Amino acid sequence: MDQKLQRVNWMIPVLAGVFAGLLGICMMSFFSIRFSTGDNTVMVDFRQLAIMISFYYGGAWSGLISAIMIGVYRLFSGEPLQFSSWVGFGNAMFTYVVTSLCMRGPRETSLKIWFRAIIATLLVYIVAVTILQAITHIELNLFFGLLYICAGLFAYYIIRYIQRADDTLTMTREAANHDFLTQLYNPRAFDRLFRQTIVDAREHQRSFALLVVDIDFFKKINDSYGHLNGDTVLVQVAEVLGRTIRPGDYCARKGGEEFAVILNECDERQAVELAEEIRTAMEQHTFVLEEGQSIQLTVSIGVSCYPLTAPEQLFPEADRALYQAKENGRNRVALADCTPAE
């Protein structure tokens, strides 16, 4: 799972850069004004905005990719190689440079910073047309400058709207999949992950383990210190679990004081060892209550493993092992009896 996330995170700036590069190329191909000055052909368009948008969404690497794509296309855009082609290539690269100097990073740009980048990239355009001695087309350049500023501001409000909608969707998804108190997976999300883990384990012939973790004498904590402190304890238990399990494992609050953990690619011996690590971490942790009081607590853990236990029996067997751990004195790990998978 972590490897998949790293791959997705690495691909985001690449895809953003390629998409923005193609957008800039389309602007040059279909939405540009061309006029001749001497032996050169000058193209007036909004390709610089594509580089800015790319930098906004994907950061420096994304902006560089789009700038190179746009610059190379301008260099070989159908006409015989001209001096203006090299100026166009330099325009794209200098646009990237001034954008990187103006903007902090992906999605961290205020309207003030964005407007500063618009003016800076417009100055790059002015320098380019001055080099090409095309500044004599004063009306066209003034019109383009005004239109460029308006288009840049419009683009900013569009991408900010999209970002807010994306953030709202992310928050909604997080709320739907995570427990409101501990921020661990909730039962519905965990059950979905559990089913997918079974499918992956069968397909790739991998083992995995299920842990059911229950706080010992949690009712006494609620009765003695109140439910608010009980919630405080639950949050800290979730934090200890999060620190103890491995990257790529899943942890959920199943309800009340009970938690569940999926240990991916884990055999019976490893599962018991990791469960013992969790039990020891809980026993050694000092839980701090709202009034500053400190308490100690313990957990009991039931363990079941696939393929030693059939998938449909993993939860019942882990629960049975948990009950056995409670019956044998609590603060211990119990391994389920095997119910072989078919």
Side-chain angles (χ1 to χ4, degrees):
M1 176 62 71
D2 285 351
Q3 291 177 347
K4 290 181 181 178
L5 289 175
Q6 289 173 4
R7 184 162 58 249
V8 169
N9 290 337
W10 176 78
M11 289 178 64
I12 287 174
V14 173
L15 293 176
V18 171
F19 178 81
L22 293 174
L23 178 63
I25 290 172
C26 288
M27 289 179 180
M28 286 188 286
S29 300
F30 307 110
F31 302 100
S32 64
I33 301 173
R34 302 183 183 214
F35 60 91
S36 298
T37 172
D39 296 329
N40 293 300
T41 300
V42 178
M43 298 172 61
V44 179
D45 50 60
F46 295 146
R47 77 191 83 158
Q48 293 163 296
L49 290 180
I51 297 173
M52 291 173 57
I53 292 171
S54 176
F55 196 100
Y56 179 91
Y57 272 107
W61 282 109
S62 178
L64 182 60
I65 291 170
S66 60
I68 291 174
M69 288 179 62
I70 292 170
V72 170
Y73 179 82
R74 179 62 186 92
L75 202 59
F76 304 101
S77 56
E79 302 112 353
L81 198 60
Q82 303 172 340
F83 177 64
S84 60
S85 303
W86 289 103
V87 173
F89 178 82
N91 183 2
M93 302 313 298
F94 275 104
T95 295
Y96 166 74
V97 172
V98 298
T99 300
S100 63
L101 291 175
C102 291
M103 294 189 188
R104 297 192 189 99
R107 301 195 177 203
E108 297 180 2
T109 303
S110 65
L111 177 59
K112 179 180 178 181
I113 295 173
W114 182 267
F115 186 75
R116 187 189 308 161
I118 291 175
I119 299 302
T121 54
L122 184 59
L123 290 175
V124 172
Y125 164 79
I126 293 173
V127 170
V129 296
T130 302
I131 292 173
L132 294 172
Q133 299 179 347
I135 203 70
T136 53
H137 297 74
I138 186 67
E139 296 84 0
L140 176 61
N141 288 314
L142 286 175
F143 177 72
F144 171 76
L146 179 61
L147 201 59
Y148 182 80
I149 292 172
C150 293
L153 293 175
F154 178 75
Y156 178 79
Y157 282 107
I158 290 296
I159 60 180
R160 288 290 290 178
Y161 176 81
I162 293 173
Q163 179 184 342
R164 285 195 292 270
D166 182 58
D167 291 343
T168 300
L169 179 62
T170 299
M171 291 175 60
T172 302
R173 187 182 295 115
E174 288 292 314
N177 291 330
H178 291 79
D179 175 61
F180 75 97
L181 180 64
T182 63
Q183 300 307 307
L184 299 177
Y185 286 113
N186 59 27
R188 181 175 60 181
F190 188 79
D191 288 344
R192 185 171 63 251
L193 290 169
F194 179 68
R195 290 193 298 271
Q196 185 58 50
T197 301
I198 293 172
V199 172
D200 292 342
R202 282 172 166 167
E203 181 178 351
H204 301 288
Q205 297 184 340
R206 295 171 180 167
S207 60
F208 73 93
L210 174 69
L211 311 184
V212 177
V213 182
D214 190 83
I215 302 174
D216 296 328
F217 302 113
F218 183 71
K219 185 176 183 303
K220 289 185 178 180
I221 296 175
N222 278 332
D223 293 343
S224 301
Y225 302 102
H227 289 277
L228 180 60
N229 281 313
D231 288 346
T232 301
V233 167
L234 290 173
V235 170
Q236 293 178 57
V237 167
E239 291 172 352
V240 175
L241 277 172
R243 291 196 304 267
T244 309
I245 64 174
R246 307 165 305 171
D249 294 336
Y250 307 125
C251 185
R253 181 187 177 198
K254 291 292 287 181
E257 69 274 23
E258 186 173 281
F259 299 82
V261 180
I262 294 173
L263 302 175
N264 283 299
E265 298 187 46
C266 184
D267 60 26
E268 185 179 24
R269 179 186 58 80
Q270 292 171 319
V272 172
E273 289 177 355
L274 288 167
E276 280 291 346
E277 288 181 19
I278 293 172
R279 186 198 64 77
T280 302
M282 294 293 179
E283 185 179 32
Q284 295 176 349
H285 182 78
T286 299
F287 293 83
V288 180
L289 306 183
E290 293 294 319
E291 298 80 11
Q293 299 166 282
S294 297
I295 64 170
Q296 305 296 134
L297 60 79
T298 61
V299 297
S300 299
I301 304 175
V303 182
S304 60
C305 300
Y306 175 87
L308 297 176
T309 298
E312 65 276 7
Q313 291 298 318
L314 284 169
F315 265 109
E317 289 297 328
D319 278 332
R320 208 169 353 257
L322 173 64
Y323 180 78
Q324 180 184 351
K326 295 280 189 181
E327 286 290 299
N328 291 337
R330 294 180 169 82
N331 188 25
R332 63 189 62 231
V333 173
L335 180 63
D337 297 330
C338 297
T339 307
E342 296 179 359

